[in-house]
Amino acid sequence: MNMQRISEVVLLVAGFALGLCACHTVKVNKHKPWIETSYHGVITENMDIVQLDPPLVALDKDAPVPYAGEICAFKIHGLEAPFEAVVLNGTSGEGQLRARGLVDCELQKEYTFIIQAHDCGAGPGGTGGKKSHKAVVHIQVNDVNEFSPVFREAQYHVAVTEGKIYDNILQVEATDQDCSPQYSQICNYQITTSNTPFAIDRNGNIRNTEKLSFDKQQQYEVLVTAFDCGQKRSTESVAVHIYVKPVCKPGWQGWDKRVDYEPGTGSKQLFPKMNLETCGGLLSSVRTTVELQTSHIGKGCDRETYSEKSLQKLCGASSGSTDLLPAPSASTNWTASLVTDSERDSDLIFRFDGRQAAKIPDQVVPQNLTDQFTIATWMKHGPNPGLRAEKETLLCNSDKTEMNRHHYSLYVHNCRLVFLLRRDFIQVDTFRPAEFHWKLDQICDKEWHYYVINVEFPVVTLYVDGVTYDPYLVTDDWPIHPSQIDVQLTVGACWQGGEVMKPRFTQYFRGSLSGLTIRPGKIESQKVISCLQACKEGLDINSLESLGKGIKFHFNPAQSILVMEGKDLENMNAALRKVSYINSRQFPTPGIRRLHISTSVECFGEDTCISIPDIDAVVMVLQPSEPRITIAGVDRLTRPAADLRGPAGLNLFQDLHIISTVTKGDTASHHTGTGPGVQEEIIHNLDYCDILVLGEELRPEQESLQLQRSTLLGKHLDATNSTSGMSIYGVDSMSNYEQVIRQVHYHNWHPAQTPDRKFRLTCSELNGRYTSNEFTLEVSGLESAGEHVNHMVAPSQYMQVVPHLAMVHSLYPTHGVPSAATVVIVICIAALVVVVVLGIYRIHLTHQQEGRSSDTTKERELDWDDSALNITVNPMEVRGRGGKEGEYSRSTGLNRNQKPKSQSGLPYQTNFSCGIPGYEQPSTQLTYRTNCSRLKYTRL
């Protein structure tokens, strides 16, 4: 019982205590925290602290009671608000507003949300805590100048008319992505291009500061930059293209000042977009002249630069001409003192300044011109003030001594061309035509022209650039009485050997000459003359059949001047667009060709008509790809001596191949010389191939090179032969040269004395402009029978096939044959060769017997050029004959011009003495021509 009462008392006391405690708590946290009703804050973008006004402070009247008077938190209501509030000091109630991440003004400039303060409640657990009223927070995001101005357009274009001052040509506009007015507004524009006649204001308006001229400059490119109000500059300037339009002026429009011409592309249009602007004027007719100016190229235009002799053969000219102005050499030393123009590519031009002339050796001068002959030359001549009364002699044949008679001469006098021809009294004994005069503008226009005088006495015809001209004056004279006085032929002046104290030159020529030739006994046809002087470049019209109605056109003979005339303007525009340039040379001369276009118009019944100004342009002929001529084949032959002694001799170049390649690439790499390029094989002509004997010259009594003349039939080729080697010349294809060279045979009747021989073969295109590699062939002869047997059994021991170039294997692949089969094949071939050699030898004996029977009847008619090309007579046939020696000079390399013969008509044995500099170190490109001394010959 007592225990039960005690428990009840304890429970009663405990309940009372709890009641007292509860009453005490309620009384402690009886006030809510207090904050301001609104806040205004500022935060700078990319920062995290918000500057609030007033500061964030919460007050609680329960202070300083622990917990109840302290602030534990600030809470923000609004899920999208990227902010948080933190308590800095719970006792003082200070807090801070922060951004949870970076704030971007460009995304949102202002934020509004609700904030409340919370006290700590009655104890550490925060139970019974109270919160303040809701306060409104307004936050403004301050801008940072992080963006640069950007122009609305990538570039601007505008056109203005020349001769005006504009207040506003164009307005440019830039924007800024910053959010604030200070940084988002553009406060200034600036032109960064210097020295331009333009200005710009703060609003981006561009004006010109001076009058613009279309002739001075047709287009301007002005760079403009922008600044925002924070002086931040745009990262990229904008380009403003201002086009200047001319005040309407009549004239040609839409043409280019330069037209590039790629060699080998045929005809190229010069003015594909050209049209005539008449500014509304009505025209009744239009006449336009297009002139291609090529006087600075070669001899007046781009022509083939082969030698004069090769050109004559190519054009089908009659044989027998004598070149009076050949290249200076040991055999043609009369031109050594003359001045040559070295600037011309492969063209041999002599300049005469009135102080030099040349005597032609007597053995070169044609002795009898007959009643038919031709004189041809290239001449460039201009007026000489103060010297018009003097004669300027191109060619003169006069007395060498005692008297001063001119037998024939060609000279210029007062810009007139005069040809003098005085016949001998024994030829004609009456008063006959002697002086022929021509008055032509071409004689003194300082341009190149091709002159040909065809004489069919008493008729003399002059051709200038292929056009025929009759003399305007012919003067008669008596023939010259015969005498024993020798005559002298001269070039560049006339020789006065008599009637003076001291023989001298007189009547000097002032100008340039090239290709001066004289051909007795024949005259040239107009077709040949036109071929010899033909230009390989000129103007052309694409699609003649598509020319508009009523269009008339005319070319001059050289196709360097085109005249077009029409009444319909649109048809004339279309016709001019078809005018093109063409150059048919495979390797044209690079450089500029000037174009001059002049136009005259007529208007309908008006007193005054518009004037069309002339225009000038250029055609730029680009550098052609240079060919690399390669000679390849077997470069060592070892044969039995019997093969060298046989009637057929040894075929030297049976496996010869001549190819030519160029490096092709893109246009930029091709003309700048850069880039790898691709090798392509091309086909073109050659103009000579020389086979030179290396080391000691051929011994005429025991060895020679031979080529049957029948091999040259049907080809534009000829050949000369000597102890120094053989020269095959003429403009023809590489395949024809291959065919002929493969037929060159080497004979050696005593191979034991000269068992080994070396020959060097080189070829040329365009008179040495492009040359091949030097292909060297070694020939060895085996004398003993034992060696011959070994050669037949094991041919690889002697017939060493060593390629001259590493590329030969890829160009001409070989395939192996089993050794047993090789022996059988070689034995069969050897047997066949023996049978063929015996047959040829019998034919050769029969041919020799027939030749001896006809020697007597043909002795006076025999000429070196008409006989077989083997100039060495079999010593067995001439043994015992007496001979006498003479000599004549020869040209550099192998002589392709001289054809010596004795007075009896028999051919001479020839013996060249040639120095071949540097042949011990052959290069892949021929960089010199062999320079021989003098040629000795012996009459057999």
Side-chain angles (χ1 to χ4, degrees):
M1 221 29 204
N2 291 332
M3 290 299 294
Q4 184 177 0
R5 287 188 174 185
I6 292 172
S7 299
E8 292 176 352
V9 172
V10 170
L11 292 172
L12 182 62
V13 172
F16 180 74
L18 289 172
L20 290 176
C21 184
C23 293
H24 178 74
T25 302
V26 172
K27 293 179 180 178
V28 169
N29 191 15
K30 62 181 180 179
H31 298 102
K32 298 177 181 180
W34 179 88
I35 59 175
E36 299 287 347
T37 58
S38 65
Y39 292 91
H40 293 276
V42 176
I43 184 173
T44 302
E45 62 177 343
N46 302 326
M47 305 294 288
D48 60 348
I49 305 300
V50 179
Q51 303 296 328
L52 286 177
D53 182 25
L56 181 60
V57 177
L59 302 177
D60 197 322
K61 292 183 179 181
D62 294 323
V65 177
Y67 300 108
E70 296 178 354
I71 303 301
C72 282
F74 292 97
K75 292 186 178 180
I76 294 175
H77 300 279
L79 299 177
E80 296 180 357
F83 298 96
E84 63 180 0
V86 296
V87 178
L88 298 180
N89 189 328
T91 302
S92 63
E94 296 180 32
Q96 188 179 63
L97 192 61
R98 298 176 181 175
R100 291 199 300 265
L102 296 179
V103 180
D104 192 348
C105 177
E106 286 71 38
L107 297 178
Q108 189 169 342
K109 298 180 181 180
E110 296 180 349
Y111 294 90
T112 301
F113 51 86
I114 302 298
I115 190 170
Q116 284 183 308
H118 292 255
D119 61 18
C120 296
T127 58
K130 294 185 177 183
K131 54 185 177 182
S132 70
H133 59 270
K134 295 179 180 179
V136 179
V137 180
H138 297 279
I139 296 179
Q140 179 181 347
V141 181
N142 279 351
D143 189 18
V144 174
N145 197 3
E146 57 184 335
F147 291 98
S148 300
V150 177
F151 287 92
R152 291 188 180 275
E153 303 291 339
Q155 54 184 346
Y156 293 85
H157 299 269
V158 66
V160 296
T161 303
E162 65 176 345
K164 295 182 180 181
I165 296 293
Y166 292 85
D167 294 332
N168 183 10
I169 295 176
L170 176 72
Q171 183 180 23
V172 298
E173 185 179 0
T175 60
D176 196 311
Q177 295 183 12
D178 288 311
C179 66
S180 65
Q182 178 183 5
Y183 298 141
S184 63
Q185 293 182 1
I186 307 300
C187 285
N188 193 23
Y189 292 92
Q190 181 178 332
I191 293 177
T192 59
T193 305
S194 59
N195 300 323
T196 59
F198 301 98
I200 190 170
D201 61 17
R202 298 172 62 88
N203 296 322
N205 296 309
I206 299 176
R207 60 184 177 85
N208 58 317
T209 58
E210 62 184 51
K211 293 182 179 180
L212 306 180
S213 172
F214 178 82
D215 294 333
K216 180 180 179 181
Q217 190 166 344
Q218 301 176 11
Q219 178 184 350
Y220 294 87
E221 181 177 325
V222 179
L223 297 180
V224 178
T225 190
F227 296 87
D228 62 21
C229 294
Q231 295 304 305
K232 192 174 185 67
R233 179 176 176 173
S234 58
T235 55
E236 293 184 1
S237 299
V238 69
V240 180
H241 299 275
I242 302 174
Y243 304 95
V244 181
K245 297 187 302 182
V247 175
C248 188
K249 296 179 181 179
W252 292 104
Q253 298 181 356
W255 54 278
D256 296 324
K257 290 187 176 181
R258 168 171 165 164
V259 179
D260 287 343
Y261 181 80
E262 184 77 26
T265 56
S267 181
K268 181 170 184 177
Q269 287 180 270
L270 297 174
F271 317 109
K273 299 179 181 180
M274 191 166 73
N275 67 283
L276 182 60
E277 175 62 58
T278 62
C279 296
L282 298 178
L283 306 181
S284 60
S285 68
V286 180
R287 178 185 175 91
T288 300
T289 301
V290 183
E291 181 181 0
L292 179 68
Q293 300 172 350
T294 60
S295 59
H296 61 291
I297 302 295
K299 294 192 287 289
C301 68
D302 212 1
R303 296 182 170 91
E304 296 293 3
T305 55
Y306 296 114
S307 66
E308 194 68 26
K309 195 171 187 66
S310 294
L311 282 175
Q312 289 177 0
K313 192 169 186 63
L314 184 65
C315 291
S318 303
S319 60
S321 65
T322 300
D323 190 357
L324 301 181
L325 286 176
S329 66
S331 64
T332 57
N333 53 12
W334 67 86
T335 60
S337 62
L338 301 180
V339 179
T340 59
D341 190 344
S342 59
E343 297 180 358
R344 306 299 184 188
D345 186 16
S346 303
D347 273 344
L348 183 61
I349 295 173
F350 294 89
R351 290 190 287 112
F352 296 84
D353 59 3
R355 290 177 294 182
Q356 69 269 87
K359 290 183 180 180
I360 310 301
D362 294 340
Q363 67 269 20
V364 177
V365 179
Q367 297 303 315
N368 185 11
L369 292 182
T370 71
D371 286 339
Q372 287 187 340
F373 62 92
T374 298
I375 297 175
T377 186
W378 286 95
M379 181 177 75
K380 180 180 180 181
H381 180 266
N384 294 298
L387 301 175
R388 291 180 61 87
E390 295 186 11
K391 295 180 179 180
E392 299 179 56
T393 302
L394 286 74
L395 179 68
C396 181
N397 185 270
S398 58
D399 290 331
K400 185 177 292 187
T401 58
E402 300 182 27
M403 303 182 71
N404 188 29
R405 299 176 301 175
H406 294 185
H407 296 259
Y408 62 87
S409 66
L410 181 64
Y411 60 90
V412 176
H413 187 211
N414 287 332
C415 286
R416 291 165 174 79
L417 186 66
V418 182
F419 177 63
L420 169 69
L421 179 61
R422 300 285 303 279
R423 311 297 290 174
D424 291 340
F425 193 82
I426 58 176
Q427 295 174 312
V428 62
D429 59 356
T430 60
F431 212 52
R432 300 301 299 271
E435 279 192 355
F436 303 84
H437 300 249
W438 292 271
K439 183 179 180 181
L440 303 172
D441 294 336
Q442 294 93 319
I443 297 172
C444 283
D445 65 359
K446 296 183 179 180
E447 303 289 347
W448 280 105
H449 299 285
Y450 188 56
Y451 298 82
V452 178
I453 295 179
N454 270 350
V455 178
E456 287 183 290
F457 193 79
V459 178
V460 177
T461 305
L462 172 67
Y463 292 86
V464 181
D465 298 332
V467 180
T468 306
Y469 295 93
D470 293 326
Y472 79 94
L473 175 65
V474 178
T475 304
D476 295 344
D477 202 347
W478 290 103
I480 295 178
H481 289 276
S483 68
Q484 299 300 318
I485 302 175
D486 292 335
V487 294
Q488 177 65 61
L489 182 63
T490 56
V491 174
C494 203
W495 180 252
Q496 187 174 1
E499 302 177 359
V500 290
M501 295 294 294
K502 182 180 179 181
R504 60 185 177 87
F505 284 114
T506 185
Q507 301 175 6
Y508 284 98
F509 177 70
R510 293 171 178 82
S512 298
L513 297 176
S514 178
L516 177 58
T517 61
I518 185 168
R519 179 181 290 104
K522 296 179 181 178
I523 62 172
E524 285 299 0
S525 66
Q526 186 165 5
K527 180 180 179 181
V528 171
I529 294 172
S530 298
C531 175
L532 290 173
Q533 61 87 38
C535 287
K536 296 299 181 180
E537 64 179 340
L539 298 173
D540 192 17
I541 298 179
N542 287 337
S543 183
L544 282 173
E545 62 277 1
S546 64
L547 283 181
K549 295 181 179 180
I551 299 297
K552 301 177 182 178
F553 66 92
H554 171 71
F555 285 102
N556 69 333
Q559 285 194 218
S560 60
I561 298 177
L562 168 63
V563 180
M564 304 187 78
E565 186 174 358
K567 295 181 179 181
D568 185 82
L569 181 59
E570 289 304 318
N571 286 343
M572 277 295 294
N573 287 336
L576 262 295
R577 295 187 192 112
K578 297 180 183 296
V579 176
S580 59
Y581 169 82
I582 187 170
N583 194 318
S584 60
R585 292 191 66 191
Q586 190 172 9
F587 306 106
T589 303
I592 64 171
R593 276 76 163 158
R594 301 190 183 279
L595 289 167
H596 182 77
I597 298 93
S598 58
T599 304
S600 61
V601 297
E602 293 182 2
C603 298
F604 286 102
E606 297 183 6
D607 295 336
T608 60
C609 195
I610 61 176
S611 176
I612 308 298
D614 296 351
I615 61 176
D616 293 288
V618 296
V619 176
M620 176 60 72
V621 179
L622 303 178
Q623 181 75 35
S625 299
E626 294 195 2
R628 180 183 177 89
I629 306 171
T630 303
I631 303 174
V634 177
D635 64 355
R636 182 174 180 83
L637 296 176
T638 302
R639 293 290 188 270
D643 291 354
L644 304 181
R645 288 193 299 264
L650 176 62
N651 194 333
L652 293 179
F653 304 102
Q654 188 172 2
D655 299 319
L656 178 76
H657 293 278
I658 304 176
I659 64 170
S660 184
T661 57
V662 295
T663 301
K664 293 288 186 179
D666 56 67
T667 304
S669 64
H670 168 59
H671 296 294
T672 59
T674 62
V678 178
Q679 293 289 328
E680 290 186 5
E681 185 173 345
I682 62 171
I683 297 175
H684 58 77
N685 290 330
L686 300 175
D687 58 355
Y688 69 80
C689 287
D690 287 344
I691 304 172
L692 300 179
V693 180
L694 300 184
E696 184 182 359
E697 293 186 357
L698 298 178
R699 300 178 181 180
E701 67 277 2
Q702 72 177 46
E703 56 184 340
S704 69
L705 291 174
Q706 293 184 1
L707 178 66
Q708 294 297 325
R709 178 162 292 278
S710 60
T711 308
L712 303 175
L713 295 178
K715 302 178 180 66
H716 296 288
L717 297 178
D718 208 339
T720 58
N721 199 355
S722 73
T723 56
S724 295
M726 179 179 292
S727 179
I728 302 167
Y729 60 93
V731 181
D732 214 328
S733 64
M734 291 188 292
S735 60
N736 279 350
Y737 267 92
E738 278 187 358
Q739 295 175 20
V740 172
I741 296 174
R742 289 172 182 173
Q743 299 304 316
V744 175
H745 289 73
Y746 169 62
H747 291 258
N748 191 335
W749 294 281
H750 303 287
Q753 299 181 16
T754 53
D756 298 321
R757 271 293 183 190
K758 288 186 178 181
F759 301 92
R760 174 173 293 163
L761 173 63
T762 57
C763 294
S764 156
E765 165 66 338
L766 293 177
N767 205 18
R769 178 177 173 185
Y770 304 115
T771 52
S772 72
N773 62 308
E774 298 175 347
F775 178 75
T776 302
L777 172 65
E778 298 183 17
V779 177
S780 300
L782 300 177
E783 185 63 33
S784 66
E787 289 177 334
H788 177 66
V789 172
N790 291 336
H791 171 77
M792 298 301 295
V793 173
S796 60
Q797 180 180 356
Y798 301 104
M799 299 177 63
Q800 302 178 19
V801 181
V802 182
H804 181 65
L805 299 173
M807 64 180 291
V808 173
H809 290 297
S810 61
L811 292 174
Y812 311 106
T814 57
H815 304 279
V817 179
S819 58
T822 302
V823 174
V824 174
I825 291 172
V826 170
I827 293 175
C828 293
I829 292 175
L832 179 61
V833 168
V834 171
V835 174
V836 172
V837 167
L838 290 176
I840 294 176
Y841 182 72
R842 297 196 61 179
I843 294 173
H844 180 66
L845 292 178
T846 304
H847 177 69
Q848 288 178 343
Q849 293 172 359
E850 292 175 356
R852 293 191 190 101
S853 64
S854 60
D855 279 346
T856 304
T857 60
K858 295 185 178 180
E859 182 177 8
R860 295 187 180 273
E861 299 175 359
L862 185 61
D863 185 274
W864 210 32
D865 199 40
D866 296 328
S867 63
L869 289 179
N870 176 16
I871 65 168
T872 304
V873 180
N874 191 329
M876 299 302 294
E877 297 181 26
V878 300
R879 184 171 298 169
R881 295 184 185 177
K884 68 176 184 179
E885 295 187 351
E887 60 180 26
Y888 76 106
S889 299
R890 54 161 294 147
S891 63
T892 59
L894 296 175
N895 194 343
R896 291 180 273 273
N897 299 313
Q898 302 293 346
K899 301 173 183 177
K901 60 182 178 180
S902 65
Q903 294 179 354
S904 64
L906 290 176
Y908 290 107
Q909 287 273 33
T910 58
N911 182 20
F912 283 82
S913 175
C914 296
I916 307 177
Y919 75 85
E920 297 86 351
Q921 299 177 353
S923 62
T924 59
Q925 193 73 15
L926 181 61
T927 57
Y928 59 84
R929 296 292 307 279
T930 307
N931 189 9
C932 298
S933 59
R934 298 183 69 82
L935 172 66
K936 299 180 180 179
Y937 54 89
T938 304
R939 188 175 65 188
L940 301 179

